[in-house]
Amino acid sequence: MQTLGEFKLPHFFNYPPYFTLQPVKDTREKQIQLWKELILDYCRTQKIFVVGLDEDFLLFSNPVIERSLSHEAREAFLSALVSEGRAEWLDKSHKRCLILWHRIQDWADLIISFVKDNGLEDSVMTVEEMRSGVESRGTELHGMDRTILMRALKHLEHKGKLVIFKGTSADDEGIKFSL
Amino acid sequence: MAGDFLPAAELTASGRPVLKSGEVECSLLSAVDLLSEELPTFPHLKSGLVILTTHRLLWLPPETGTHTKSSCFVPLSAIQHIFSAKKSIKSMFHSPRIRFQVSTTSDGKVTERGGLKSAVITLIVRGKTDPDSFLGKLWDAWRGRAWEASGSESGSQSGDGEGSTSGSLALRPPVVGVAGILRKEQEMWESTDKSLQDAFQDLNALMSKAKEMVMLAEKMRLKLLSGSNNQTSGTNDDEMGTKEEMHDWLLSVGIVSPVTKESAGALYHQQLSRQLADFVKIPLERAGGMINLIDIYCLFNRARGTELISPDDLLQACSLWEKFDVSVMLRKFDSGVMVIQSKSHSDDEVFTRIRSLVMKPEALQNGVSASDAAMTLGVAPAMAKEYLLAAEGKGLLCRDVSPDGFRFYINLFLELNPEDIYLVRDHSRYSTWIRAVSSS
């Protein structure tokens, strides 16, 4: 079986029609579903948060069979993810796409369990600490996209689980948990 | 029954008369009654189609095909005399009639020369066609005595002096030449508007550059029309002069042929349609039940030799099939490609062949192109592509568009499971495909 780095590719990745946007409705719906699953799987294992349409995203071309997705097809598959809440466009021209292999709600749950696991229920820490600090090492939070992290934190703030405040340094924010 | 008096006419499956060798059709007339006022038991055959050939006068009932048995004919050789049209006050209120005398046996059956008795048969022309020109053609055909030249049927005695007449008169073609053309031109003015417009559309399609000429001719037509309206209020010589000039002009532009067609009216396409239905059977069989409209156009015109038909005529003739009970149909694919298909032909059979084609190891790996399919199916590539697209629409195939071209593969998408993208079911097409691809 073919691999992409450490990622194991399904057999149909070598099926040439997989790389042509199918015009027939039923076939196309199935094709889109297969692409959505593959993109989410790949991004989750490779910790990819942002996919640029015009950038070299390894999944979008297959040198073995010399096929690559057209711009239209890329946009169609990512749009399908967006419409399901599994991705968000980062710009109006649909050039960059934020992939949510965990939904915001799921990310928020992960943060809660991280806080509980580390006994931080009433503590204060910065956003950057959460992304790259010692505590988060080995968890899914480590190295996560800042945009997504902020969205998840805002979600929790809205629920009254924490408060976000301006920190001492200009480019970082503090979090006060109150679980 | 008409059979008691007239011999039955043999028809093809599509309702066209079966002609004898050497027999040529001369004219058609629709909505004609055939009866004999002298013979009380002679049936009144109502509103049929009369076909005049060099040998016979055929009467076909309306809606042929449903009751072909009632069609019959009068052999021209049985005609003893044709009465010229009576011009009387009475005739102005009647539908025009054509009368002729035929020889009969003692019990009234129409027979070729040598009958003991005679009877008068009347044709009543109810349509808006011109009975006078038909009468003229009947005269020509009768005097032409073509049946003698093509070898008289067994049993009929050759008349005396046959040798002297057949040489000079036999097989005289129907009226042609300038006189014929002008007469048809005259017919045209009676139904000018539509026919002329049709003619011009024809012209337009053929030579787009001739737009100016069409406009000019259109202008002339309007002037001619206004000229004929003014006739009652006194026409001066100048106007008459220009009218003739324009006649010549219009003729030289070449719009006479659609008018000829128009003079046969709707009948032309009807008859053409039936003839075509008979004709396509053999090429259709050879092509496997479906044939491109363009191919038939070539074959049909080649078979016709000189009397070529336009693509538009072909299309009209094909569209008329819906109304007749014939075994072929016109089919239009989504792409716009039109084909002739026999009604018994089924797509399922073709799809089965396509399925077995794309499941071959070579096709599983590289897919098939339209020309690959054309070879397997024995049809033209354009047609093969239509089939492939139709199969794609049914979910049997899917496409691969790449710099290498446009190819089709067996559709695996519908088998795959998005819940588990690594799942491979045993004995599925997917597993067959994986084996074929990995063996290379």
Side-chain angles (χ1 to χ4, degrees), chain A residues 7-12 14-18 20 22-24 26-27 30-31 33-34 37-38 41 67, chain B residues 392-393 395 398-402 404 409-418 421-422 424 430 433-434:
Chain A
F7 184 72
K8 198 175 80 168
L9 288 161
H11 286 289
F12 58 75
N14 285 344
Y15 178 53
Y18 189 58
T20 297
Q22 297 298 319
V24 178
D26 288 355
T27 312
K30 202 64 177 284
Q31 183 190 24
Q33 279 188 340
L34 290 166
E37 292 304 322
L38 188 64
D41 260 20
R67 296 290 185 277
Chain B
E392 183 194 36
C398 52
R399 66 177 64 185
D400 163 39
V401 184
S402 74
D404 297 343
Y409 284 75
I410 185 79
N411 189 348
L412 299 177
F413 287 113
L414 304 180
E415 266 188 6
L416 296 173
N417 186 357
I421 56 177
Y422 299 101
V424 180
Y430 187 33
W433 173 78
I434 292 170

Side-chain angles (χ1 to χ4, degrees), chain B residues 137 140 172-184 260 307:
Chain B
K137 282 170 187 163
D140 291 336
R172 238 182 64 182
V175 176
V176 289
V178 178
I181 292 167
L182 276 175
R183 195 182 62 212
K184 276 163 189 161
T260 315
E307 295 286 328

Side-chain angles (χ1 to χ4, degrees), chain B residues 243-265:
Chain B
K243 193 172 174 178
E244 279 188 6
E245 212 173 282
M246 283 181 190
H247 259 187
D248 292 347
W249 273 52
L250 285 173
L251 282 173
S252 65
V253 172
I255 52 166
V256 217
S257 65
V259 178
T260 315
K261 177 179 78 190
E262 209 55 51
S263 65

Side-chain angles (χ1 to χ4, degrees), chain A:
Chain A
M1 198 173 286
Q2 202 178 335
T3 55
L4 212 56
E6 283 165 23
F7 184 72
K8 198 175 80 168
L9 288 161
H11 286 289
F12 58 75
F13 198 67
N14 285 344
Y15 178 53
Y18 189 58
F19 286 86
T20 297
L21 192 57
Q22 297 298 319
V24 178
K25 189 169 164 277
D26 288 355
T27 312
R28 186 191 191 122
E29 277 171 9
K30 202 64 177 284
Q31 183 190 24
I32 288 175
Q33 279 188 340
L34 290 166
W35 267 107
K36 281 192 308 202
E37 292 304 322
L38 188 64
I39 292 170
L40 290 177
D41 260 20
Y42 181 71
C43 289
R44 181 163 45 231
T45 54
Q46 305 300 305
K47 291 218 172 233
I48 294 171
F49 292 91
V50 176
V51 171
L53 249 70
D54 300 325
E55 291 158 28
D56 282 337
F57 182 52
L58 288 176
L59 215 50
F60 285 166
S61 52
N62 184 351
V64 175
I65 55 166
E66 296 176 327
R67 296 290 185 277
S68 66
L69 286 181
S70 67
H71 189 274
E72 185 200 4
R74 292 171 194 215
E75 189 168 345
F77 300 144
L78 290 174
S79 295
L81 281 174
V82 170
S83 69
E84 271 191 13
R86 306 306 298 267
E88 272 170 33
W89 292 113
L90 290 171
D91 51 354
K92 275 187 182 164
S93 55
H94 293 188
K95 287 261 186 276
R96 300 175 76 237
C97 191
L98 191 66
I99 308 294
L100 298 169
W101 21 276
H102 289 315
R103 294 166 197 273
I104 295 294
Q105 171 67 53
D106 299 338
W107 280 116
D109 292 347
L110 282 171
I111 292 169
I112 299 285
S113 53
F114 163 77
V115 170
K116 283 179 176 167
D117 289 352
N118 290 280
L120 298 166
E121 280 92 338
D122 293 309
S123 323
V124 175
M125 72 189 301
T126 67
V127 173
E128 272 313 308
E129 267 176 331
M130 185 175 279
R131 282 183 69 224
S132 49
V134 190
E135 291 88 347
S136 70
R137 201 161 286 167
T139 71
E140 284 201 80
L141 300 184
H142 193 80
M144 79 177 281
D145 182 78
R146 194 184 162 90
T147 318
I148 298 177
L149 180 57
M150 286 312 293
R151 295 275 300 280
L153 291 172
K154 291 233 170 73
H155 178 79
L156 287 172
E157 186 181 37
H158 196 71
K159 285 182 155 186
K161 310 260 183 182
L162 52 83
V163 180
I164 303 169
F165 57 89
K166 276 272 172 220
T168 44
S169 63
D171 58 346
D172 202 4
E173 279 133 309
I175 313 157
K176 166 90 179 68
F177 297 107
S178 53
L179 289 172

Side-chain angles (χ1 to χ4, degrees), chain B residues 377-390:
Chain B
L377 300 173
V379 297
M383 188 98 97
K385 190 169 177 187
E386 295 302 328
Y387 279 130
L388 291 172
L389 289 171

Side-chain angles (χ1 to χ4, degrees), chain B residues 159-321:
Chain B
D160 42 353
E162 184 196 12
S164 60
T165 51
S166 62
S168 56
L169 288 168
L171 278 176
R172 238 182 64 182
V175 176
V176 289
V178 178
I181 292 167
L182 276 175
R183 195 182 62 212
K184 276 163 189 161
E185 192 67 13
Q186 192 58 45
E187 283 168 17
M188 176 187 119
W189 295 121
E190 279 145 32
S191 56
T192 329
D193 258 304
K194 199 185 167 300
S195 60
L196 198 58
Q197 272 163 21
D198 278 0
F200 279 132
Q201 274 169 10
D202 236 12
L203 254 180
N204 216 358
L206 282 171
M207 18 181 234
S208 49
K209 281 183 188 170
K211 204 173 176 182
E212 284 176 23
M213 202 188 287
V214 173
M215 276 167 59
L216 183 69
E218 189 76 22
K219 224 183 267 175
M220 290 194 291
R221 185 180 67 87
L222 285 175
K223 193 158 186 185
L224 273 176
L225 275 181
S226 65
S228 59
N229 287 342
N230 292 340
Q231 259 176 354
T232 42
S233 61
T235 332
N236 59 36
D237 290 350
D238 266 2
E239 235 172 313
M240 286 301 288
T242 45
K243 193 172 174 178
E244 279 188 6
E245 212 173 282
M246 283 181 190
H247 259 187
D248 292 347
W249 273 52
L250 285 173
L251 282 173
S252 65
V253 172
I255 52 166
V256 217
S257 65
V259 178
T260 315
K261 177 179 78 190
E262 209 55 51
S263 65
L267 281 178
Y268 171 82
H269 285 118
Q270 275 184 30
Q271 292 298 313
L272 187 67
S273 171
R274 290 174 188 280
Q275 191 179 49
L276 191 61
D278 286 335
F279 175 81
V280 296
K281 272 179 199 152
I282 294 164
L284 208 52
E285 230 167 73
R286 249 180 243 151
M290 194 185 274
I291 195 164
N292 212 322
L293 200 59
I294 297 157
D295 293 344
I296 274 296
Y297 179 69
C298 299
L299 287 172
F300 191 53
N301 266 338
R302 195 172 69 186
R304 285 173 71 98
T306 52
E307 295 286 328
L308 303 183
I309 61 166
S310 72
D312 201 45
D313 284 341
L314 182 78
L315 198 55
Q316 285 223 33
C318 292
S319 347
L320 281 175
W321 283 340

